[in-house]
């Protein structure tokens, strides 16, 4: 295990917050998130990105998109180009969130194209993978996760692989209050790392940050972060309030 991986705590605001509410939350986070801890990124809805960028400029908190198209520009009504995110100062973008996959038909191939376009534009893609409850109950977790990782990085070089972040998000744990046991989350994150090692090489895989996501709370973060393959968290519900997200970002690191 590499000890060089800096923990990353990411907040996905989903379809929440008006511009005024987003400004307020960003400001509160600026005040409450301690400096010198994990890297922290918030992903507001696109409508609030400009305002959040204004509030967080010069702070230690980064901001990113929740989704994007892979084309540079053109007739793609409703979509956002990678360059539009970087224009707003984004440094991250979530790709392949399970809600995009299940509600909006995003395929593994689209995830691959989006992640590649993100990298080409200097954005770090946070690529989400994870099994549904039915797949877990059918003992398909490992297969589903491995195939999602392989397809997301299809045809990539080791240099490209080195620049991504993965998030293991079991779909049954998202927004349900059911957290995946930390031991199991660590096992699947380790499986993702093994897959990366096969696609690229071990040194590259050891440098990639792999987050856990699924009902992360202030009470669960320290235990999850103590696991060797878990390098951070992708947080949904608990990132909508400054106190709970700051408590997660300010978790007390314990040796792992
Ligand atoms: C998510 O949507 O990525 C997520 C992890 O949500 P929650 O924390 O609410 O389960």
């Amino acid at each position: 295990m590499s000890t060089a991986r800096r923990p990353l705590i990411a907040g996905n605001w989903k379809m929440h917050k008006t511009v005024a509410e987003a400004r307020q939350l960003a400001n509160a986070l600026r005040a409450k998130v301690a400096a010198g801890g994990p890297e922290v990124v918030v992903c507001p809805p696109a409508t609030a990105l400009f305002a959040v960028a204004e509030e967080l400029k010069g702070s230690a908190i980064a901001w990113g998109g929740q989704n994007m198209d892979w084309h540079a520009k053109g007739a793609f009504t409703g979509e956002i180009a990678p360059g539009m995110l970087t224009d707003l100062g984004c440094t991250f973008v979530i790709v392949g969130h399970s809600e995009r996959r299940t509600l909006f038909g995003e395929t593994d191939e689209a995830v691959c194209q989006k992640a590649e376009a993100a990298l080409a534009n200097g954005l770090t893609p946070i690529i989400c993978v994870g099994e549904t409850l039915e797949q877990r109950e059918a003992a398909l977790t490992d297969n589903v996760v491995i195939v999602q990782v392989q397809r997301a990085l299809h045809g990539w070089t080791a240099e490209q692989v080195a620049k991504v972040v993965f998030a293991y998000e079991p779909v049954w744990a998202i927004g349900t209050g059911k957290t995946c046991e930390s031991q199991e989350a660590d096992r699947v994150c380790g499986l993702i790392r093994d897959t990366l090692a096969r696609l690229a090489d071990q040194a590259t895989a050891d440098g990639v940050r792999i987050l856990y996501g699924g009902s992360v709370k202030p009470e669960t973060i320290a235990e999850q972060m103590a696991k060797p393959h878990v390098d951070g968290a992708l947080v949904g519900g608990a990132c909508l309030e400054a106190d709970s997200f700051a408590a997660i970002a300010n978790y007390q690191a314990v040796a792992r």
Side-chain angles (χ1 to χ4, degrees):
M1 194 247 331
S2 161
T3 48
R5 298 190 299 266
R6 184 177 177 202
L8 172 64
I9 304 292
N12 174 9
W13 296 8
K14 307 195 184 186
M15 201 170 72
H16 295 285
K17 306 293 178 190
T18 62
V19 169
E21 290 165 347
R23 281 193 190 276
Q24 207 172 20
L25 178 54
N27 251 311
L29 290 174
R30 193 178 175 132
K32 288 171 195 272
V33 171
E39 188 171 10
V40 177
V41 56
V42 294
C43 298
T47 48
L49 264 174
F50 183 83
V52 168
E54 282 191 334
E55 301 300 332
L56 293 180
K57 212 174 187 167
S59 78
I61 304 174
W63 55 95
Q66 296 177 10
N67 177 40
M68 58 163 224
D69 190 67
W70 64 86
H71 298 93
K73 60 173 143 179
F76 302 102
T77 302
E79 294 297 316
I80 298 170
M84 293 172 177
L85 291 180
T86 53
D87 189 36
L88 291 170
C90 291
T91 47
F92 287 85
V93 61
I94 299 170
V95 174
H97 189 279
S98 66
E99 286 152 17
R100 300 292 322 164
R101 292 177 187 262
T102 56
L103 302 174
F104 302 99
E106 199 159 295
T107 62
D108 289 326
E109 291 68 32
V111 170
C112 178
Q113 282 176 292
K114 290 181 181 200
E116 212 166 4
L119 281 188
N121 284 274
L123 291 159
T124 299
I126 301 175
I127 305 174
C128 302
V129 296
E131 81 287 359
T132 63
L133 184 59
E134 293 69 34
Q135 290 165 334
R136 173 159 285 268
E137 286 174 347
L140 291 172
T141 297
D142 294 11
N143 192 259
V144 166
V145 169
I146 289 169
V147 169
Q148 284 178 338
V149 173
Q150 287 173 335
R151 289 185 178 165
L153 306 183
H154 183 72
W156 286 33
T157 63
E159 288 71 31
Q160 287 175 302
V161 175
K163 292 181 186 152
V164 304
V165 170
F166 268 91
Y168 168 52
E169 296 212 307
V171 179
W172 50 270
I174 295 179
T176 59
K178 287 185 205 155
T179 316
C180 184
E181 290 286 325
S182 57
Q183 199 105 339
E184 174 62 2
D186 187 51
R187 187 190 70 79
V188 182
C189 289
L191 188 69
I192 293 172
R193 201 174 304 287
D194 289 345
T195 308
L196 297 179
R198 281 196 298 277
L199 290 172
D201 54 73
Q202 192 62 53
T204 299
D206 283 343
V208 172
R209 292 182 291 183
I210 304 175
L211 318 182
Y212 165 74
S215 298
V216 171
K217 305 175 197 71
E219 309 83 66
T220 60
I221 185 70
E223 182 185 331
Q224 281 152 0
M225 292 302 293
K227 298 294 177 200
H229 288 294
V230 179
D231 303 313
L234 179 53
V235 185
C239 80
L240 296 175
E241 298 294 334
D243 283 342
S244 51
F245 189 60
I248 292 169
N250 297 339
Y251 79 95
Q252 290 295 309
V254 289
R256 52 180 190 168

